[in-house]
Amino acid sequence: MGINTVLKLVCVILMVEIIHQSSARPSIRADNCGYQTCPLEKEGFINVHLVAHTHDDAGWLKTVDQYYYGARSQIQEAGVQYIIDSVVDELKDHPDRRFIYVEMAFFSRWWEEQNESTKSIVRELVNQGRLEFINGGWCMNDEATAYYVDIIDQMSLGLITLNDTFGECGRPRIAWQIDPFGHSREQANLFAEMGYDGLFFGRLDHEDKRERTTKKTMEMIWKASNSPVNQSSLFTAVNYNLYQPPPGFCFDIYCNDEPIIDDPKSKDYNVEQRVTDFLNYCEEQANAYATDSILLTMGSDFHYQDANVWFKNMDKLIKYANARQTEGSRFNLFYSTPSCYTKALNDHAVTWPTKTDDFFPYGSDSHAYWTGYFTSRPASKYMIRQASNLLQSCKQMDATLARQGATKAGDLFTMKDAMGIMQHHDAVTGTEKQHVAEDYALLLHKGVEECRKIQTSYYEKELVLGNTPLPKVSYCQLNISQCEPSETNNQFVINVYNSMALVVDRYIRVPVASGTNFRVLDTLGNTMPSQSIPIAESVKALPGRVSTATRELVFLARQLPPLGSKSYFVQPEPSGEDEKIEPENKSSISNEKVSVEIDDVTGLIKSVTVNGKTTPLKQEFLWYASKSGDNSEADKRASGAYIFRPEGNDPLAIPSSGVRTTTYSGDLVQEIHQVYNPWVSQTIRVYKGQEHVELDWVVGPIPVEDGIGKEIISRISTDMVSKETFYTDANGRQTLERVLDVRESYPYTVTEPVAANYYPVNSHIFVKDSIGNQMTVLVDRPQGGSSLHDGELELMVHRRCLYDDAFGVGEALNEMAYGTGLVVRGTHFLILGDKTNSLKLTRSLSHELYKQPQISFIPSTLSYQEWSALYKTEYQSISRTLPNNVNLLTLETLAGGKYLIRLEHIYDVGEDPILSQTVTVSLEGLFPGFTITSAEETMLGGNQFKKDSNRLIWNAASPERKAGHQMGDVRIPAVLLTPMEIRSFILTLVRNI
C-alpha cells in the first residue's frame, strides 16, 4: 500500500441504520439467562467444562468477505456463514449442547440474512444460554497496537448491536482474547469498566507459562489501574492449550484425529483408549490449576463448518467418560461456556493471586519474541490512526446534524464497520497477507468517503447564512503535501474543524502554487501572519504524489472553538510578487522557548535547549539486519511480520556519504532539512510558541538488493542516568515502567537482548533520571520502542523483511508500492524538561497529535466581504470548553433521538499536582438551544446501565478497591471524574422553546 493510498484513506467507520444503536436497556427475559442457565458442577469431582467454539479471524490469510462466504478455499478452508448455520442446526434439537460465538462483524452480517423463523430459534437459544456471546466486540482486537479510542469504539459497536438484538441475554459477561500476541493492562482496565466478570486469553510467554503452571497461578486477579476509586480489577485466566483442543481430539472435518468409535463390533473400536487418553490429558491440565474445575477449549480457527462431527464426538466423550464415575473416576465432563466456568470458580472459596503489570513482550520460545508487529506495515498503522481521528469528528458532526433535524449524506456505519475490522489482531498489527492488507485499505477508503459526505453535509448546514448553497467542499492528502484546490486556485477558503472540547491553536500547512505570494485572512477579514516554506525534497519525491507544488503556506489557526470550525480566506497579496525563500547558512533553529543545534561535521542534532536548559543529545537513524532462517528450530527463527529478531545486538549506521542539511527560517516556523541518502531523510522543525521539537521523517524504499532485510530505527542518545528503566504507554493511556532484562512476574532468561526488550508504543515513551530530567518521544502511530542503554530511546519506524517467520501468514513482510519498496512519512514529537512539565506536555500534546484538525477546502472567486455575507466563518456545536484535564471522548447519535457521550480524565494519579486531581464537569447547557432532560449512566460499552451492573466479587491476595461512582437517572448531571476515569452517559435532549 503506497503512501498516497495511505493518506487517501483518512477516515473511520460509524454505525447507521443497518444495525440500530439504542440506549442500554434491560432484557425481557434477563432473569432467565446468564449464570442462572449454567450447568451444576459435581462436588468431589474434577469438573471439566468443555467449551465448543470457533475462532473466526476478521481477515488474515483471506479477506473478511472471503472468510464469510468461504471463497478461495485453496488458501484456507473457511466459511463463517456455514459455521453459524451448522451450529444453530445442531443446538436447536439438543438441549445439552452449548456453543460460544465472538466476532460480531461476522454474526451481524449473518443475522441480517436470516428469516424470522431462524431469528426466533436463535433468540431462544440465546435466552436459554446455549448460544452465548463471549467478548462481543466487532472483532477480537489486538492489544499492543490498537489505540484505546478504537478499542472502545469497536467493542461498543458489537455490544450495542447485541443489546439491540437480544437484550440482556445477549450481553457478554466474559472477555475472550485467545489469539492476540500479548496482553495489555489498559485492555484489562477497559474490560473491567465495560462490566466484564472475567478475561480469558491464550498466548503467554513461554517462561511465564512454565512458572505459572508449576505454581498453579494460571488464574489471577489483574489489578488494571492506578486509580484509588475505579473498580478495574478483572479475574483473568490463561488457557492451558492456547485455544486448541487437546492433542489428538480435534474433531473438525479438516482435522485428521480419530473419531470416537463406540461400536464393539467394529475392529476399529476405540472408546476405552480414547477416553483414557482424554482423561489423562485432563489430569495433566488439572495439575496446573488451583481448583477442581478446568476449562478445555474444543475448537480452533474456523471450526464447526460441519458442527455435527464435533458435537457427535463430544457427546460420546461426555457419555463414556462420565460412565466411569461408577468405577471411581474423578472426572465429570459437560458442555459449558467461559461464563459458567468463571461463575463456578467464583463459587469456590479461593484467594486468588494478583497481577499489576502486563503480558508484554510475548515470547513463544527463546528466540521468537513477537515484537516486530509493533511496527509492521507502518503506512497501514498510520492510516488507521488518522481514520480514528476522522471517525470521532464524523460522529460529532453527525450528532450535530441530528440535533438540528438536518438531512445528511454519508453512511456512518461503513466507517464504523471498517474501523471495527481494522482493530482485529491481524489487521492493525500488520500480520495479514498482502492481498488482505489491500482489501483492508479499500474498506477504510470506503469509510473515509462516507465520512467526507457527512463532513460536507455538516458544512452545508452549519455555514450557510441564507439560501445560497455552499460551493463544493474538497479534501486533500496533506500527508504527502498534495492538494489540488490549493495548488490550482489563487483564492480559496480553508475550513478547520476542531474535534476537541477545548479552545486550541493549531498550525496549518497547505501546499500552494509557486509564483504567487499569498496572504491569509481570519474570520473577521484581518490579515494573519503567514509564511511560505519549501517542501522537503524527499516529500516532493514520494511515490504516487501527483503535485507540482514546491512550497507550503503556514499559518496559526488561533482560538479554534470547541467542537467547531473556523474558515480562513486565502488570496494573493496585492503586490502579486512571489516570495523568495532562500536557505540560510546556519546550523541552528529556535523560537522563544526552544533551540536546536546541529553538529557542523555530522549533520546530526548535538543539543536541544528548552527554557534555558541545554541537553546534549544525538538523534540518528540506524538499522538492524533482519535475521534469516528456515524456522526449523528455535535458533533458526527468521525475523518476519510477527517476530523481530536482529542479526546482532548493535544497530548499523545508515549508509551515507554525510548527512546534508539545509536550514530555512521564518517568523512562524524554522526548519532544518536533513538528507542521509536517497531513502532516509528528516525535517527538524520548531514552531513559534511551542516547547517541543517536531521530527518529520521519510524512510524508504528500504534497499534489499543485498539480500538482507532491514529494520530502521530512530535513536536519541543523552547522558541521562536512567538506571536501565524506561516508560511506555498502554494503548495510549496508562504509563507502565519497564526495566531492561527484567520481568516482574517470572524469572527471565536473556536470549534476545534487543527484541525481548521492545515494547509497544501507541502514544509515548520516555526516560528520566534521579534529578528530575525527562526525555519523551510521542508517536503518530503504533511503533515498537525501547531503551537499551541509559539515556537512550529508540523507536522502530519501518521494516522490510525477506523471510517468513513461520507463524502462519506464509509471506515475507516485503511491502511494495508504485513499483518500489514502500516509502513511509511520519512524525515524532521530542519533549525535554523536568518531570512535571514533561508529563503535562505529554498528555496535552499526545491528544493534539491524535486529534489533528479536519481540514477542507472551497475554491472561490468571491471577495472576503461577499463570502462572509453569505456564509459563517465560525461555528461551534457546544456552548463552552471542558476543563483542560478532560477529554470529550465520544459524542455520537443513538437510535430514538438519544446521544452517547463519554467524558475522560486524561491524567493518571500523581502526574500533575493540579491536573491529576478529581474534576467535576457539568453538562447543563452544554448543547446550545437544547436542554438535557435525562442523563443515564452506562458501563463503558454503552450497552448496560451502570445501576444494573452487578459484577462478580473475588477474593484477591490484595484487597479490592472500593467501587466507583454509582449514578442513575439524573436531570442535570455534574460528572465527577477521578484520574484516568471514563464515564459514559445516554442523553435525552429537548429543543428549547
Side-chain angles (χ1 to χ4, degrees), residues 460-488:
E460 290 173 343
K461 168 63 179 175
E462 302 302 340
L463 298 188
V464 174
L465 288 171
N467 297 319
T468 304
L470 192 70
K472 180 183 177 182
V473 182
S474 299
Y475 304 88
C476 294
Q477 297 171 248
L478 296 180
N479 184 61
I480 59 172
S481 196
Q482 175 180 310
C483 186
E484 188 271 340
S486 64
E487 294 177 37
T488 60

Side-chain angles (χ1 to χ4, degrees), residues 87-208:
V87 166
V88 170
D89 283 343
E90 290 303 314
L91 290 180
K92 65 183 181 181
D93 296 325
H94 298 85
D96 291 336
R97 293 175 177 177
R98 291 171 180 260
F99 192 83
I100 63 169
Y101 199 77
V102 175
E103 295 86 4
M104 291 306 299
F106 287 128
F107 184 86
S108 61
R109 179 185 291 198
W110 178 87
W111 181 259
E112 291 300 317
E113 296 176 352
Q114 305 311 303
N115 58 37
E116 191 51 46
S117 175
T118 301
K119 288 182 178 181
S120 179
I121 292 169
V122 173
R123 289 191 190 99
E124 188 62 23
L125 292 173
V126 172
N127 289 341
Q128 294 172 358
R130 296 198 289 123
L131 175 60
E132 184 174 328
F133 294 101
I134 298 292
N135 221 58
W138 211 241
C139 69
M140 185 183 296
N141 66 259
D142 177 56
E143 298 189 33
T145 60
Y147 199 53
Y148 76 100
V149 178
D150 304 325
I151 294 172
I152 294 169
D153 275 353
Q154 80 87 15
M155 288 300 302
S156 298
L157 180 58
L159 292 174
I160 292 175
T161 299
L162 281 170
N163 188 69
D164 290 347
T165 308
F166 299 106
E168 176 66 11
C169 290
R171 179 175 65 84
R173 289 160 173 79
I174 299 299
W176 185 251
Q177 292 286 103
I178 55 174
D179 199 24
F181 328 125
H183 302 279
S184 159
R185 188 178 193 234
E186 180 58 30
Q187 177 85 54
N189 177 47
L190 296 177
F191 279 142
E193 295 299 326
M194 290 175 186
Y196 287 90
D197 283 324
L199 162 65
F200 289 73
F201 65 78
R203 297 189 186 273
L204 178 69
D205 185 272
H206 65 291
E207 290 188 299
D208 196 0

Side-chain angles (χ1 to χ4, degrees), residues 563-638:
L563 270 67
S565 65
K566 280 190 173 183
S567 299
Y568 297 89
F569 203 82
V570 181
Q571 62 185 27
E573 283 282 10
S575 65
E577 297 180 3
D578 188 19
E579 179 183 4
K580 302 300 181 184
I581 309 169
E582 299 293 340
E584 298 184 357
N585 184 24
K586 66 176 187 177
S587 56
S588 66
I589 55 175
S590 63
N591 62 21
E592 64 276 24
K593 298 180 180 181
V594 179
S595 66
V596 180
E597 188 171 358
I598 299 294
D599 188 295
D600 290 330
V601 177
T602 65
L604 304 177
I605 299 176
K606 71 176 183 180
S607 70
V608 175
T609 302
V610 180
N611 295 322
K613 183 172 184 176
T614 299
T615 301
L617 62 80
K618 179 168 70 172
Q619 185 267 337
E620 59 189 326
F621 288 92
L622 304 157
W623 65 285
Y624 291 104
S626 303
K627 188 84 170 179
S628 60
D630 63 9
N631 305 297
S632 59
E633 302 173 18
D635 64 355
K636 295 181 180 180
R637 179 71 60 191

